Amino acid sequence: MHKLLTDKPGESMFLLGNEAIARGAMEAGVAFTSTYPGTPSSELSLNFFQMSRESDLYFEYSTNEKVSLEVAAAAANSGVRSMCMMKHVGLNVAADVLMSLAYVGVTAGLVILTADDPFMFSSQNEQDNRYYAKFGGLPMMEPSSVEEAKEMVKEAFALSEKLKRPVLFRTTTRINHSTAVVTLGELPPRTTRGEFIKEPMRCVTVPAVSRGLHVKLLADLDRAQEMAENSPFNFVEGSGNLGIIANGVSYTYAVDAVRDLKAKDRIRILRLGFSNPMPAKLIKNFLASCDQVLVIEEGEPFMEEAVKAFAQEGGLTLPIAGKTPSLFSRLYEFDPAMVRNCMASFFGIAHEPAPATDLSGTPALPMRPPTLCAGCSHRSVFYAVKKACEGQDVIFPSDIGCYTLGFMPPLGMGDFVICMGASAGTACGFSTVTDKKVVAFVGDSTFFHSGLSGLINGVFNNHNFTLVILDNRTTAMTGHQPNPGVDMTELAMENYNTVDIEAVVRAVGVKHVSVVRAFNVRKTMDAVRESLAFEGVSVIIAKEKCALYAKSLKQLKGKPFQVNPEKCKNHRECIDALGCPAFYLENGMPRIHTHLCVGCALCAQACPENAIVPAKSL
Amino acid sequence: MEPKRLIIVAVGGQGNLLASHVLGEAALMSGIPVRMSEIHGMAQRGGVVESALVFGEARSTIISDGEADLFVSFEPCEALRALKKCNPRTVAITNTRPLPPFTAVIGRGTYPDISEVTTILRDKTGRLIAFDATALAEEAGNSMCLNMVLLGTLIATGVLPITAEAVREAIRTRTKASFVDMNILAFEKGFAQAT
């Protein structure tokens, strides 16, 4: 049985933040869950996926975050408690739904989890999604710890049902990927079937209806603010006239700093967990009890600006600070020592910061960047495209997935990456305003997510580019989640269909379509040359299952290769052009770690001397 | 309990997160407050994986530079890269078996000399235990047991109030059944290194 289905209230478990949140949702009776995978939210979805196979919980990997929120909105408007999870940038994709769903509301609890990523451990930006709550006029909750996250998600469902609005549950990587001891609660039965009651004057957002809905939204926001004033997730602790206002993990750093600075009776902390709408009265009372206030929040000065406005309304002139060059930055993550040092300096508390570690005498270390895996099919396609484009000036827009790593040497394939699904769209622009050839890359999951729209645009507007669909039969980067092109029967999953990428591409009107095996370098090069010669939109579908995914399905049949030392003339094309981590140098000569090699035979095709052969044959 | 802070660094695939989890479970069984944070980002693809464990009365799950009481590295070059987490009182443990990054293999960067690595670590920390932990893992039956070897050494330092028996119990209940005996053997071999 899945560990999060353990029905032993009171038992303690050491759980990852994402597991704790999933458990909290189960304890809240969530019955419908949907997502598009995105780190740092991925494990939350994985746990729901696994639990859905052992219980009556519904879970789906949707084609993108917008669709994911649409399906959840329908379920939550049919009386079924629902949760929709995504990473921070995913909410941009779902924002169109979010803004109007805020007006329409829900009939059963709907919690939307947005996992922000300060420091961009695995993201293209570090946007602060608290603004979405303000933007949409939606209540927002932000936990400070793993234990609290589990409890708070239950309250988020209750709040959503009280207000009949979706609630944003905002985490940061440091909540999602922290682990702590959590006490299990009761697991109630789920309501999995509901009823949709037609209410066109609430659910059909034509202008005449929406004008009324906006009035109602603002009235509910006032109710939400009253609730925030009295929420147990907004509390004051400690005593003294030095004030701190903190949210999320910043609160935990502040608590540790108060202890380290031995300032328990000098510093009082206002922690905001129910953080939109902000509790004006609570904040004004807090300000009135302090001589100076420091606002501690990662990301943007979301609370700081509001707090300063509340102070102005209340006629309070105490110093309030947060983001300034001498204190906190709007960049990256905070850490305990940095928060401690800022608190000591702002409040004038004597404190000897720990001296920086003396790193003198440390030699320069070789970098250890993430790389495409040994046997990754993307490497082969990048190599073939690069070879086929040699001597031509080509722009290579790329997209979001493992293959984004192709921009690094030695492959160097990827000139412009902005967001999910943008490679085809940007290819349209590049091909219009430059005289260069354009070859864009997109993965299979990303193609279904939103790459298809850009391709359709290219066909309709008669743009001139080649789109290479790197079809590795899974969503590899986030941990092998399925997408509409995946054959679910291989996972012993029934009642799914498979959407054929080639049929889709042909159906939208692409006239030049090639399908190749990713590891067949010569055929892939031929397909690239033919595509480049074609005027208009052409598509190359390069198929080969992700090596790690194939391994997990026990389908990896390749035998390792080895370098024949008698034939090798040390050109090092294998190492210098491919960058496969299965290679190493021994006495200056290329060799292959046979335990890493999966036998893709790419290097054997690249070697000018045919010196790379199946290991057994030597 | 006064907070004790532990940083573990490893290369993706070396079993850092499993070792951290076993230690966390052992702390849970022993009634010792524990919080952990994983820092892996995109590092699964052969990059660096770092985990931070905070034991005792602290709320943070991450550890600032210079504030590790304990430091364990599964790979010598990565020990040096994460040295900024240590201070002159830190108890440091490192495997001395190198796992050169691909960049060094192809000549983009030079892998440091192991004796230079251990000299620097010894000079800048309070105590250094450096040995070929991979060799001990192989002796135990599989190089994959490297994580359990280093866990054994860590417990043997006595810095954490967690008993070897609690860790053995966590190994028995939290690692793959077919690996338990090998893991326990690896743990004992590592334990003997620090005593």
Side-chain angles (χ1 to χ4, degrees), chain A residues 147 174 177-179 253 256 259 335-337 340 357-358 360-361 366-368 370-371 476 575 580 584-585, chain B residues 2-3 35-38 42 45 59-61 64 67 78 81 84 86 99 102-103 105-106 110 120 124:
Chain A
E147 306 93 303
R174 219 39 88 174
H177 286 171
S178 286
T179 305
Y253 307 154
D256 285 351
R259 174 198 155 104
D335 69 73
R340 186 170 63 230
T357 314
D358 171 23
S360 60
M367 296 304 290
R368 199 184 290 271
T371 52
I575 287 179
C580 173
Y584 65 102
L585 290 177
Chain B
E2 275 297 304
R35 294 164 195 283
M36 179 175 118
S37 181
E38 304 167 12
M42 291 165 72
R45 311 282 184 256
R59 306 289 280 274
S60 324
T61 62
S64 301
E67 304 205 334
E78 295 314 317
R81 201 192 306 279
K84 62 179 185 298
C86 299
L99 202 63
F102 187 73
T103 48
V105 171
I106 61 172
T110 311
I120 294 170
K124 295 179 192 285

Side-chain angles (χ1 to χ4, degrees), chain A residues 83-118:
Chain A
M83 189 164 177
C84 183
M85 295 75 63
M86 58 197 72
K87 68 182 294 174
H88 62 331
V89 288
L91 198 52
N92 300 335
V93 179
D96 202 11
V97 190
L98 183 74
M99 292 300 140
S100 302
L101 182 63
Y103 279 33
V104 167
V106 292
T107 58
L110 171 60
V111 174
I112 302 166
L113 179 131
T114 162
D116 286 15
D117 190 14

Side-chain angles (χ1 to χ4, degrees), chain A residues 385-394 532:
Chain A
V385 173
K386 196 172 180 176
K387 280 270 168 196
C389 292
E390 251 169 13
Q392 298 184 70
D393 203 354
V394 182
L532 285 174

Side-chain angles (χ1 to χ4, degrees), chain B residues 25-93:
Chain B
E25 293 284 354
L28 169 60
M29 287 177 212
S30 314
I32 293 162
V34 58
R35 294 164 195 283
M36 179 175 118
S37 181
E38 304 167 12
I39 305 165
H40 49 66
M42 291 165 72
Q44 298 97 318
R45 311 282 184 256
V48 185
V49 179
E50 182 178 306
S51 59
L53 286 107
V54 182
F55 302 88
E57 305 304 328
R59 306 289 280 274
S60 324
T61 62
I62 59 172
I63 299 171
S64 301
D65 290 353
E67 304 205 334
D69 300 295
L70 281 160
F71 175 79
V72 176
S73 174
F74 287 32
E75 205 281 337
C77 168
E78 295 314 317
L80 217 48
R81 201 192 306 279
L83 182 59
K84 62 179 185 298
K85 291 289 178 191
C86 299
N87 63 53
R89 293 176 310 282
T90 306
V91 174
I93 298 164

Side-chain angles (χ1 to χ4, degrees), chain A residues 169-186:
Chain A
F169 194 82
R170 185 220 182 214
T171 60
T172 57
T173 306
R174 219 39 88 174
I175 294 290
N176 301 99
H177 286 171
S178 286
T179 305
V181 178
V182 168
T183 306
L184 303 184
E186 306 269 349

Side-chain angles (χ1 to χ4, degrees), chain A residues 489-507:
Chain A
T489 61
E490 291 187 325
L491 297 163
M493 304 271 289
E494 289 169 7
N495 296 318
Y496 289 90
N497 293 304
T498 302
V499 180
D500 180 46
I501 294 177
E502 183 185 355
V504 171
V505 168
R506 290 192 189 278

Side-chain angles (χ1 to χ4, degrees), chain A residues 362-542:
Chain A
T362 310
L365 299 171
M367 296 304 290
R368 199 184 290 271
T371 52
L372 298 175
C373 305
C376 173
S377 55
H378 302 327
R379 177 180 291 105
S380 182
V381 180
F382 285 139
Y383 176 73
V385 173
K386 196 172 180 176
K387 280 270 168 196
C389 292
E390 251 169 13
Q392 298 184 70
D393 203 354
V394 182
I395 304 173
F396 299 107
S398 191
D399 222 303
I400 308 283
C402 296
Y403 55 96
T404 317
L405 296 174
F407 87 97
M408 290 197 300
L411 295 161
M413 298 295 272
D415 297 326
F416 197 75
V417 176
I418 43 174
C419 67
M420 287 289 291
S423 63
T426 53
C428 295
F430 286 125
S431 68
T432 306
V433 302
T434 72
D435 298 325
K436 294 183 180 177
K437 290 281 184 188
V438 180
V439 178
F441 299 102
V442 70
D444 47 338
S445 189
T446 310
F447 171 77
F448 287 115
H449 177 283
S450 49
L452 181 57
S453 317
L455 180 65
I456 292 173
N457 183 68
V459 172
F460 174 68
N461 289 301
N462 201 23
H463 289 296
N464 181 24
F465 64 89
T466 299
L467 179 67
V468 181
I469 301 176
L470 300 158
D471 181 7
N472 66 356
R473 318 298 303 140
T474 188
T475 315
M477 189 58 157
T478 42
H480 302 131
Q481 294 85 356
N483 66 58
V486 169
D487 177 0
M488 296 294 275
T489 61
E490 291 187 325
L491 297 163
M493 304 271 289
E494 289 169 7
N495 296 318
Y496 289 90
N497 293 304
T498 302
V499 180
D500 180 46
I501 294 177
E502 183 185 355
V504 171
V505 168
R506 290 192 189 278
V508 303
V510 178
K511 295 283 183 284
H512 194 284
V513 183
S514 327
V515 181
V516 295
R517 292 296 299 268
F519 287 129
N520 192 326
V521 174
R522 192 179 54 78
K523 286 207 171 143
T524 306
M525 286 173 67
D526 289 346
V528 175
R529 289 195 191 98
E530 285 168 22
S531 298
L532 285 174
F534 181 81
E535 282 291 316
V537 175
S538 55
V539 166
I540 299 170
I541 303 166

